[in-house]
Amino acid sequence: MIINRIISCIQELYAVYIGLNIYIYSFIIRVILLRKVLIAAPVCQNPIILREYLSSLSELVVEGFEVSYLFMDDNQEEESTKLLGDFVKENGGFILGKGQNKCYKGSHIWDNSLMERVGNLKNQIIDFTIEQNFDYLFLVDSDLCLHPNTLIQLLSDDEDIVFNIFWTKWDKNGLELPQVWLFDQYTLYEKNKGENLTNKEIESRTLDFISKLRVQGLYQVGHGGACTLIKRRVLEAGVNFDDIYNLSFLGEDRYFCIRAAVMGFKMYVDTNYPAFHIYRHKELENLRYWEIENFIAGRSSTIYFPQKDDFSSLSTVVSWVLSNEKEGCLFLISENEAPEIEKLLKENFGDKLLNNHALDIIILDEMPNLIKFKADLIIAHRNSIERTQIEDIANIKGIKLVYL
């Protein structure tokens, strides 16, 4: 009897020991090893563009680290302020503001006082990052849309400062140019100190630099901004966005980069997952095509089209399916919308769709049998399906998803 009681006590103590070990281990993983990332931005944005921005943030892959959000609300439109509030309510985070703002509206003409204001807002974000013990600050301008893998890719680079590439036609009739550069105000070519170059040499070297950034990789640069992952130690060293009185460069990001270089921090750009820059309102039209390009290139397994009543999103996807001669594509729809969708497909694509057998329409009543289908691509109305169920099936079978 006594022996049995002793054995029982030993077993209970061992169970407590194991439980403590598990608790301590999980505490270490959660509190000590789990990297904390603050995604932040000063925000003064049109609500239509802001909605796309917030949607892309919500789709970021964040497994393996702790993410929070901070928005400096500098909006002029109440709808934009409400969008920020709704996002934080759903995803967690903080909103600071609102104060009197001078943010631009409908243009990209920035004067020095406005740049200083934005720099001050970013400095407040830096202070918050340090005070709240975040390991990284990810500054993302509110007119960008990110690929879901952006954050994990930048973290994997393990650099003190790394920019995520995006391309912009600063002049609507000009070339797409990057938001990173090598020297001074905006020099896009290599040049040794004291070296005199002809116009032809400048043009050639500029094209070399731009071409290099079109290739996926990690490259050292001298300046950048707008989509920047920064390690805590850079911020603790005093790198910030304050104006430097004896320099005539415009833009708070330039002063940040100059300070970083002086303090010995190298800067890099990651070109693996280019962001999309909604520089002009009209460029919203091209956002869906950017998503499809990522999808085709294998950089994304899911596309989220905006929920519209028109046929444009479906037409875009089906056109791609047909032009790429894809087979084994399933289109999931609810029973009540099937006649309308079938009519639209027939009217717009006719025999081409039927003869290629490129797209099978699956009514939702047949969902339990979906696992039996062989498919490379599933197209679905997100409001018409049980999202968890379809995503589980897609993950199991390695199927790509398009949500309309």
CSV table of all heavy atoms in Angstrom, one decimal, residues 273-302:
chain,number,residue,atom,x,y,z
A,273,TYR,N,9.2,39.7,-54.2
A,273,TYR,CA,7.7,39.9,-54.2
A,273,TYR,C,7.4,41.4,-54.3
A,273,TYR,O,7.1,42.1,-53.4
A,273,TYR,CB,7.1,39.3,-52.9
A,273,TYR,CG,7.3,37.9,-52.7
A,273,TYR,CD1,8.2,37.4,-51.8
A,273,TYR,CD2,6.5,37.0,-53.4
A,273,TYR,CE1,8.4,36.0,-51.6
A,273,TYR,CE2,6.6,35.6,-53.2
A,273,TYR,CZ,7.6,35.1,-52.3
A,273,TYR,OH,7.7,33.8,-52.2
A,274,PRO,N,7.5,41.9,-55.6
A,274,PRO,CA,7.2,43.3,-55.7
A,274,PRO,C,5.8,43.7,-55.3
A,274,PRO,O,4.8,43.0,-55.5
A,274,PRO,CB,7.3,43.5,-57.3
A,274,PRO,CG,8.2,42.4,-57.7
A,274,PRO,CD,7.8,41.2,-56.8
A,275,ALA,N,5.7,44.8,-54.6
A,275,ALA,CA,4.5,45.4,-54.2
A,275,ALA,C,3.8,46.1,-55.3
A,275,ALA,O,4.5,46.4,-56.3
A,275,ALA,CB,4.6,46.3,-53.0
A,276,PHE,N,2.6,46.5,-55.2
A,276,PHE,CA,1.9,47.2,-56.2
A,276,PHE,C,1.6,48.6,-55.6
A,276,PHE,O,1.0,48.8,-54.6
A,276,PHE,CB,0.5,46.6,-56.6
A,276,PHE,CG,-0.2,47.3,-57.7
A,276,PHE,CD1,0.1,47.0,-59.0
A,276,PHE,CD2,-1.1,48.3,-57.5
A,276,PHE,CE1,-0.5,47.6,-60.1
A,276,PHE,CE2,-1.8,48.9,-58.5
A,276,PHE,CZ,-1.5,48.6,-59.8
A,277,HIS,N,2.0,49.7,-56.4
A,277,HIS,CA,1.9,51.1,-55.9
A,277,HIS,C,0.7,51.7,-56.6
A,277,HIS,O,0.7,51.9,-57.8
A,277,HIS,CB,3.2,51.8,-56.3
A,277,HIS,CG,3.2,53.2,-55.6
A,277,HIS,ND1,4.1,54.1,-56.1
A,277,HIS,CD2,2.5,53.7,-54.6
A,277,HIS,CE1,4.0,55.2,-55.3
A,277,HIS,NE2,3.0,55.0,-54.5
A,278,ILE,N,-0.3,52.1,-55.8
A,278,ILE,CA,-1.5,52.8,-56.4
A,278,ILE,C,-1.1,54.3,-56.4
A,278,ILE,O,-1.7,55.0,-55.6
A,278,ILE,CB,-2.7,52.5,-55.6
A,278,ILE,CG1,-2.9,51.0,-55.4
A,278,ILE,CG2,-4.0,53.0,-56.3
A,278,ILE,CD1,-4.0,50.6,-54.4
A,279,TYR,N,-0.3,54.7,-57.3
A,279,TYR,CA,0.3,56.0,-57.3
A,279,TYR,C,-0.8,57.0,-57.8
A,279,TYR,O,-0.8,58.2,-57.4
A,279,TYR,CB,1.5,56.1,-58.2
A,279,TYR,CG,2.2,57.4,-58.1
A,279,TYR,CD1,2.8,57.9,-57.0
A,279,TYR,CD2,2.4,58.2,-59.3
A,279,TYR,CE1,3.5,59.0,-56.9
A,279,TYR,CE2,3.1,59.3,-59.3
A,279,TYR,CZ,3.7,59.8,-58.1
A,279,TYR,OH,4.4,61.0,-58.0
A,280,ARG,N,-1.6,56.5,-58.7
A,280,ARG,CA,-2.8,57.3,-59.2
A,280,ARG,C,-4.0,56.5,-59.1
A,280,ARG,O,-4.0,55.3,-59.2
A,280,ARG,CB,-2.6,57.7,-60.7
A,280,ARG,CG,-1.3,58.6,-60.9
A,280,ARG,CD,-1.1,58.8,-62.4
A,280,ARG,NE,0.2,59.5,-62.5
A,280,ARG,CZ,1.4,58.9,-62.6
A,280,ARG,NH1,1.5,57.6,-62.5
A,280,ARG,NH2,2.5,59.6,-62.7
A,281,HIS,N,-5.1,57.2,-58.9
A,281,HIS,CA,-6.4,56.5,-58.7
A,281,HIS,C,-6.7,55.5,-59.8
A,281,HIS,O,-7.2,54.4,-59.7
A,281,HIS,CB,-7.5,57.5,-58.5
A,281,HIS,CG,-8.8,56.9,-57.9
A,281,HIS,ND1,-9.7,56.2,-58.6
A,281,HIS,CD2,-9.2,56.8,-56.6
A,281,HIS,CE1,-10.7,55.8,-57.8
A,281,HIS,NE2,-10.4,56.2,-56.6
A,282,LYS,N,-6.3,56.0,-61.0
A,282,LYS,CA,-6.6,55.2,-62.2
A,282,LYS,C,-5.9,53.8,-62.2
A,282,LYS,O,-6.4,52.8,-62.8
A,282,LYS,CB,-6.2,56.0,-63.5
A,282,LYS,CG,-6.5,55.3,-64.8
A,282,LYS,CD,-6.2,56.2,-66.0
A,282,LYS,CE,-6.4,55.5,-67.3
A,282,LYS,NZ,-7.7,55.0,-67.5
A,283,GLU,N,-4.8,53.7,-61.4
A,283,GLU,CA,-4.0,52.5,-61.4
A,283,GLU,C,-4.7,51.4,-60.6
A,283,GLU,O,-4.2,50.2,-60.6
A,283,GLU,CB,-2.6,52.8,-60.9
A,283,GLU,CG,-1.7,53.4,-61.9
A,283,GLU,CD,-0.6,54.2,-61.4
A,283,GLU,OE1,-0.4,54.2,-60.1
A,283,GLU,OE2,0.1,54.9,-62.1
A,284,LEU,N,-5.8,51.7,-60.0
A,284,LEU,CA,-6.6,50.6,-59.3
A,284,LEU,C,-7.1,49.6,-60.4
A,284,LEU,O,-7.2,48.4,-60.0
A,284,LEU,CB,-7.8,51.2,-58.7
A,284,LEU,CG,-7.6,51.9,-57.3
A,284,LEU,CD1,-8.8,52.8,-56.9
A,284,LEU,CD2,-7.3,50.8,-56.2
A,285,GLU,N,-7.2,50.0,-61.6
A,285,GLU,CA,-7.7,49.1,-62.7
A,285,GLU,C,-6.6,48.0,-62.9
A,285,GLU,O,-7.0,46.9,-63.3
A,285,GLU,CB,-7.9,49.9,-64.0
A,285,GLU,CG,-9.0,51.0,-63.9
A,285,GLU,CD,-9.0,51.9,-65.1
A,285,GLU,OE1,-8.3,51.6,-66.1
A,285,GLU,OE2,-9.8,52.9,-65.1
A,286,ASN,N,-5.4,48.3,-62.7
A,286,ASN,CA,-4.3,47.4,-62.9
A,286,ASN,C,-4.0,46.5,-61.8
A,286,ASN,O,-3.2,45.5,-61.9
A,286,ASN,CB,-3.0,48.1,-63.3
A,286,ASN,CG,-3.2,48.9,-64.6
A,286,ASN,OD1,-3.9,48.4,-65.6
A,286,ASN,ND2,-2.7,50.1,-64.7
A,287,LEU,N,-4.6,46.7,-60.6
A,287,LEU,CA,-4.3,46.0,-59.4
A,287,LEU,C,-4.6,44.5,-59.6
A,287,LEU,O,-3.9,43.6,-59.2
A,287,LEU,CB,-5.0,46.5,-58.2
A,287,LEU,CG,-4.9,45.8,-56.9
A,287,LEU,CD1,-3.4,45.8,-56.5
A,287,LEU,CD2,-5.7,46.5,-55.8
A,288,ARG,N,-5.8,44.2,-60.2
A,288,ARG,CA,-6.2,42.8,-60.4
A,288,ARG,C,-5.2,42.1,-61.3
A,288,ARG,O,-4.9,40.9,-61.1
A,288,ARG,CB,-7.6,42.7,-61.0
A,288,ARG,CG,-8.6,43.4,-60.2
A,288,ARG,CD,-9.1,42.7,-58.9
A,288,ARG,NE,-8.2,42.8,-57.7
A,288,ARG,CZ,-8.3,43.8,-56.9
A,288,ARG,NH1,-9.0,44.9,-57.0
A,288,ARG,NH2,-7.5,43.8,-55.8
A,289,TYR,N,-4.7,42.8,-62.3
A,289,TYR,CA,-3.7,42.1,-63.2
A,289,TYR,C,-2.4,41.8,-62.5
A,289,TYR,O,-1.7,40.8,-62.8
A,289,TYR,CB,-3.5,43.0,-64.4
A,289,TYR,CG,-4.8,43.1,-65.3
A,289,TYR,CD1,-5.6,44.2,-65.2
A,289,TYR,CD2,-5.1,42.1,-66.2
A,289,TYR,CE1,-6.8,44.3,-65.9
A,289,TYR,CE2,-6.3,42.1,-66.9
A,289,TYR,CZ,-7.1,43.2,-66.8
A,289,TYR,OH,-8.3,43.3,-67.5
A,290,TRP,N,-2.0,42.7,-61.6
A,290,TRP,CA,-0.8,42.5,-60.8
A,290,TRP,C,-1.0,41.2,-60.0
A,290,TRP,O,-0.1,40.4,-59.8
A,290,TRP,CB,-0.6,43.7,-59.9
A,290,TRP,CG,0.5,43.4,-58.8
A,290,TRP,CD1,1.8,43.5,-59.0
A,290,TRP,CD2,0.2,43.2,-57.4
A,290,TRP,NE1,2.4,43.2,-57.7
A,290,TRP,CE2,1.5,43.0,-56.8
A,290,TRP,CE3,-0.9,43.0,-56.6
A,290,TRP,CZ2,1.6,42.8,-55.4
A,290,TRP,CZ3,-0.8,42.8,-55.3
A,290,TRP,CH2,0.5,42.6,-54.7
A,291,GLU,N,-2.2,41.0,-59.4
A,291,GLU,CA,-2.5,39.8,-58.6
A,291,GLU,C,-2.4,38.6,-59.5
A,291,GLU,O,-1.9,37.5,-59.1
A,291,GLU,CB,-3.8,39.9,-58.0
A,291,GLU,CG,-3.9,41.0,-56.9
A,291,GLU,CD,-5.3,41.1,-56.2
A,291,GLU,OE1,-6.3,40.8,-56.9
A,291,GLU,OE2,-5.3,41.4,-55.0
A,292,ILE,N,-2.9,38.7,-60.7
A,292,ILE,CA,-2.8,37.5,-61.6
A,292,ILE,C,-1.4,37.2,-62.0
A,292,ILE,O,-1.0,36.0,-62.1
A,292,ILE,CB,-3.7,37.8,-62.9
A,292,ILE,CG1,-5.2,37.7,-62.5
A,292,ILE,CG2,-3.4,36.8,-64.0
A,292,ILE,CD1,-6.1,38.0,-63.7
A,293,GLU,N,-0.6,38.2,-62.3
A,293,GLU,CA,0.8,38.0,-62.6
A,293,GLU,C,1.5,37.3,-61.5
A,293,GLU,O,2.3,36.4,-61.7
A,293,GLU,CB,1.5,39.4,-62.9
A,293,GLU,CG,1.1,40.0,-64.2
A,293,GLU,CD,1.7,41.4,-64.3
A,293,GLU,OE1,2.5,41.8,-63.4
A,293,GLU,OE2,1.4,42.1,-65.3
A,294,ASN,N,1.3,37.6,-60.2
A,294,ASN,CA,1.9,36.9,-59.1
A,294,ASN,C,1.4,35.5,-59.1
A,294,ASN,O,2.1,34.6,-58.8
A,294,ASN,CB,1.5,37.6,-57.8
A,294,ASN,CG,2.4,38.8,-57.5
A,294,ASN,OD1,3.6,38.7,-57.5
A,294,ASN,ND2,1.8,39.9,-57.1
A,295,PHE,N,0.1,35.3,-59.4
A,295,PHE,CA,-0.5,34.0,-59.4
A,295,PHE,C,0.1,33.1,-60.5
A,295,PHE,O,0.5,32.0,-60.2
A,295,PHE,CB,-2.0,34.2,-59.7
A,295,PHE,CG,-2.8,32.9,-59.6
A,295,PHE,CD1,-3.2,32.5,-58.3
A,295,PHE,CD2,-3.2,32.3,-60.7
A,295,PHE,CE1,-4.0,31.3,-58.2
A,295,PHE,CE2,-4.0,31.2,-60.6
A,295,PHE,CZ,-4.4,30.7,-59.4
A,296,ILE,N,0.3,33.6,-61.7
A,296,ILE,CA,0.8,32.9,-62.8
A,296,ILE,C,2.3,32.5,-62.5
A,296,ILE,O,2.8,31.4,-62.8
A,296,ILE,CB,0.7,33.7,-64.1
A,296,ILE,CG1,-0.7,33.9,-64.5
A,296,ILE,CG2,1.5,33.0,-65.2
A,296,ILE,CD1,-1.0,34.8,-65.6
A,297,ALA,N,3.0,33.5,-61.9
A,297,ALA,CA,4.5,33.3,-61.7
A,297,ALA,C,4.7,32.3,-60.5
A,297,ALA,O,5.9,32.0,-60.2
A,297,ALA,CB,5.1,34.6,-61.4
A,298,GLY,N,3.6,31.9,-59.9
A,298,GLY,CA,3.8,30.9,-58.7
A,298,GLY,C,4.2,31.6,-57.5
A,298,GLY,O,4.5,31.0,-56.5
A,299,ARG,N,4.1,33.0,-57.4
A,299,ARG,CA,4.4,33.7,-56.2
A,299,ARG,C,3.2,33.8,-55.3
A,299,ARG,O,3.2,34.4,-54.2
A,299,ARG,CB,4.9,35.1,-56.5
A,299,ARG,CG,6.3,35.1,-57.2
A,299,ARG,CD,6.9,36.5,-57.3
A,299,ARG,NE,6.1,37.4,-58.1
A,299,ARG,CZ,6.4,37.7,-59.4
A,299,ARG,NH1,7.4,37.0,-60.0
A,299,ARG,NH2,5.7,38.5,-60.1
A,300,SER,N,2.0,33.3,-55.8
A,300,SER,CA,0.8,33.4,-55.0
A,300,SER,C,-0.1,32.2,-55.3
A,300,SER,O,-0.1,31.7,-56.4
A,300,SER,CB,0.0,34.7,-55.2
A,300,SER,OG,-1.1,34.7,-54.5
A,301,SER,N,-0.8,31.7,-54.3
A,301,SER,CA,-1.7,30.5,-54.5
A,301,SER,C,-3.1,30.9,-54.5
A,301,SER,O,-4.0,30.1,-54.7
A,301,SER,CB,-1.4,29.4,-53.5
A,301,SER,OG,-1.6,29.9,-52.2
A,302,THR,N,-3.4,32.2,-54.2
A,302,THR,CA,-4.8,32.7,-54.0
A,302,THR,C,-4.9,34.1,-54.6
A,302,THR,O,-4.0,34.9,-54.4
A,302,THR,CB,-5.2,32.7,-52.5
A,302,THR,OG1,-5.0,31.4,-52.0
A,302,THR,CG2,-6.7,33.0,-52.4
